[in-house]
Amino acid sequence: MSTSSQTQFRYTQTPSKVLHLRNLPWECTEEELVELCKPFGKIVNTKCNVGANRNQAFVEFVDLNQAISMVSYYASSSEPAQVRGKTVYIQYSNRHEIVNNKSPGDTPGNVLLVTIEGVEANDVTIETIHLVFSAFGFVHKIATFEKAAGFQALIQFTDAETASSARNALDGRSIPRYLLPGHVTSCHLRISYSAHTDLNIKFQSHRSRDYTNPYLPVNPTAMEGLMQPVVGPDGKKQEPQSNVLLASIENMQYAVTVDVLHSVFSAFGTVQKIAIFEKNGGTQALIQYPDVTTAAVAKESLEGHCIYEGGYCLQ
């Protein structure tokens, strides 16, 4: 079958709110699929890494017109849909909803599926989720997403015993009010076990976090603490307090790596994320702590000091 006839077939199929995506990169994540599709509407379900080569996926929109919009856009666009630089082929699926055949939610495992009822995605931060669940043991990874059931999170513990303790204590309970925005009146946790055993976190972001790998790449848009300057009572700009520090490194005579920065900044508390980049001909880094207080202590102690003796690598 020729390429032209394949294209013609793809776009004359009966429309469905479920789209079939082919030629995806290896181990394509749900987050990457949502990023590709979200300009066209709300995604309520996905099924990743299907097919013999695990390079296909299904995406379900909340509305048929949103799926039609995405197919129509790429059918007429000179720029193909891409994920990680690979051209992705999109067509309507012959199914009308995605059914994920996973093990029952009451079979104990080390990963919990948490549905947070009564909130929008931006109402509960990944830091709040981590704070609540880490009370029961070390949280390895967290991935959050939106589905038809609402705002959900996958939370990975070391073992099924720790996960069970968290589930038994929190299922049906509410997140403490002081951890939620003022406009949230109720927030309940509905918790089951996931079929996953090891979450595949590609990068640190406001939607996903791997606490076992502090050197995992950071999504450039994911440093939540960066804010616009605020104006004080005297009308002058004030530097906003944040749990993320921006360090400019001057007089670079020796290499400054993620390991070096982690060694320096972890003296003041747990360093969650580090990102090094070049800007305007200089070297800068973003260092994220769990809270504003720890970041403020590190800033006060290190600002203007050198990493190496002899005045080299001034911070």
Side-chain angles (χ1 to χ4, degrees):
M1 184 181 289
S2 68
T3 302
S4 60
S5 60
Q6 282 184 335
T7 303
Q8 179 70 15
F9 173 76
R10 276 215 318 266
Y11 298 114
T12 56
Q13 285 182 298
T14 302
S16 167
K17 63 181 181 180
V18 178
L19 299 183
H20 179 200
L21 282 65
R22 298 179 292 112
N23 200 44
L24 290 161
W26 174 255
E27 291 291 328
C28 180
T29 66
E30 180 177 55
E31 194 169 36
E32 289 174 310
L33 289 178
V34 172
E35 189 69 24
L36 173 66
C37 301
K38 70 180 182 181
F40 303 95
K42 183 177 180 180
I43 306 300
V44 296
N45 209 350
T46 62
K47 192 167 186 177
C48 307
N49 303 313
V50 300
N53 296 320
R54 297 176 61 80
N55 64 347
Q56 301 180 45
F58 294 93
V59 176
E60 181 181 343
F61 284 93
V62 70
D63 181 74
L64 175 63
N65 290 329
Q66 295 172 356
I68 293 174
S69 175
M70 183 172 184
V71 172
S72 300
Y73 175 82
Y74 285 114
S76 59
S77 173
S78 59
E79 296 293 329
Q82 291 189 332
V83 174
R84 283 189 243 155
K86 288 197 68 176
T87 297
V88 178
Y89 302 104
I90 304 168
Q91 65 188 57
Y92 295 115
S93 171
N94 57 10
R95 64 179 73 185
H96 297 288
E97 66 176 345
I98 295 175
V99 178
N100 290 312
N101 297 318
K102 294 183 179 179
S103 61
D106 56 357
T107 302
N110 67 313
V111 178
L112 298 178
L113 172 62
V114 181
T115 301
I116 306 174
E117 300 175 336
V119 301
E120 299 293 331
N122 294 329
D123 291 337
V124 180
T125 66
I126 204 165
E127 285 76 21
T128 296
I129 296 171
H130 182 262
L131 179 64
V132 171
F133 283 85
S134 62
F136 301 90
F138 179 64
V139 173
H140 287 233
K141 302 174 185 178
I142 298 176
T144 64
F145 46 90
E146 293 178 79
K147 290 287 186 72
F151 182 51
Q152 296 183 310
L154 288 169
I155 301 166
Q156 180 177 330
F157 287 100
T158 305
D159 49 48
E161 183 179 358
T162 308
S164 295
S165 298
R167 180 177 186 258
N168 293 337
L170 295 175
D171 189 26
R173 303 290 294 275
S174 300
I175 292 177
R177 289 283 296 116
Y178 67 88
L179 295 175
L180 300 170
H183 68 272
V184 177
T185 56
S186 64
C187 170
H188 294 92
L189 303 176
R190 184 159 49 83
I191 306 175
S192 60
Y193 295 105
S194 169
H196 293 284
T197 57
D198 188 19
L199 302 180
N200 184 19
I201 306 296
K202 292 292 186 182
F203 46 77
Q204 314 280 26
S205 76
H206 67 292
R207 302 299 297 270
S208 61
R209 201 67 56 85
D210 183 346
Y211 298 97
T212 67
N213 184 5
Y215 308 122
L216 197 66
V218 178
N219 185 332
T221 64
M223 305 303 281
E224 306 93 326
L226 295 180
M227 299 180 292
Q228 295 296 321
V230 296
V231 179
D234 57 0
K236 295 182 179 179
K237 288 185 178 180
Q238 294 181 332
E239 183 178 354
Q241 286 193 317
S242 169
N243 64 319
V244 179
L245 299 178
L246 173 62
S248 298
I249 304 168
E250 303 171 355
N251 194 24
M252 286 274 292
Q253 299 295 321
Y254 303 114
V256 176
T257 64
V258 167
D259 289 327
V260 170
L261 291 178
H262 188 269
S263 176
V264 171
F265 283 87
S266 63
F268 303 92
T270 301
V271 173
Q272 293 180 323
K273 295 185 282 189
I274 296 176
I276 299 178
F277 52 94
E278 300 293 324
K279 186 173 182 181
N280 299 327
T283 300
Q284 296 185 332
L286 290 168
I287 298 97
Q288 180 166 325
Y289 286 102
D291 53 71
V292 172
T293 302
T294 307
V297 172
K299 179 178 184 298
E300 184 176 350
S301 301
L302 293 175
E303 187 169 20
H305 288 261
C306 300
I307 296 177
Y308 300 106
E309 292 183 3
Y312 297 119
C313 300
L314 182 70
Q315 301 178 81

